[in-house]
Amino acid sequence: GKNFMCRLQCMFSHSSSSESRLSLEDTQQWSQSLERLLESKYGLATFRNFLKSEYSDENIEFWLTCEDYKKIKSSFRMSSRAKKIYEQFIKAESPKEV
C-alpha cells in the first residue's frame, strides 16, 4: 500500500546513477499486476525488502518456492521437494512458517 509506494519514491530520489534508477514506467508496469512486479529483478528485490521491513518475507519465499515446485517433472524430486517445503514453511514451528 502506501508504505510500499513511499519506499519506491525514495528509491527514485536517492539513486546515485541514472543506470541504476528505476523509471516511473517500470513502477507503473508493476502496478498492473503482481506477476509483472515479480518478473522484474528490481521489482522482486524491492518487494522482498518491503516484506522484510514488515517481518513477512517468508510469504514471498514460500510463493517463489511453490512456483519452482510447479516446474518439477520428476515424481521423486516432487516428493522430496514437497517434504522440504513442508518442513521449511508449513510445519508448526518451522523456520519460515507461513
Side-chain angles (χ1 to χ4, degrees):
K2 209 174 204 180
N3 197 9
F4 184 63
M5 292 308 291
C6 288
R7 288 173 193 265
L8 288 176
Q9 288 173 344
C10 288
M11 290 180 81
F12 283 122
S13 60
H14 292 97
S15 184
S16 59
S17 74
S18 61
E19 294 170 2
S20 64
R21 265 196 194 163
L22 293 171
S23 72
L24 183 57
E25 185 178 320
D26 291 334
T27 57
Q28 286 173 339
Q29 289 288 318
W30 301 346
S31 71
Q32 299 301 311
S33 70
L34 181 62
E35 287 78 20
R36 287 191 183 179
L37 172 76
L38 299 176
E39 286 170 357
S40 163
K41 178 173 86 170
Y42 296 113
L44 178 57
T46 302
F47 191 52
R48 274 186 166 162
N49 285 333
F50 171 73
L51 290 174
K52 283 181 185 179
S53 74
E54 299 293 316
Y55 303 100
S56 62
D57 56 314
E58 68 280 352
N59 294 307
I60 191 67
E61 294 298 326
F62 176 67
W63 186 82
L64 291 168
T65 301
C66 289
E67 289 300 301
D68 286 341
Y69 177 82
K70 290 182 196 178
K71 298 173 188 171
I72 298 172
K73 303 287 187 226
S74 159
S75 60
F76 175 78
R77 285 191 64 219
M78 285 180 82
S79 177
S80 173
R81 185 69 55 89
K83 288 176 186 173
K84 287 180 183 178
I85 291 171
Y86 175 78
E87 292 292 325
Q88 190 172 19
F89 296 102
I90 300 169
K91 183 178 173 183
E93 304 296 322
S94 60
K96 296 182 180 181
E97 185 177 1
V98 289

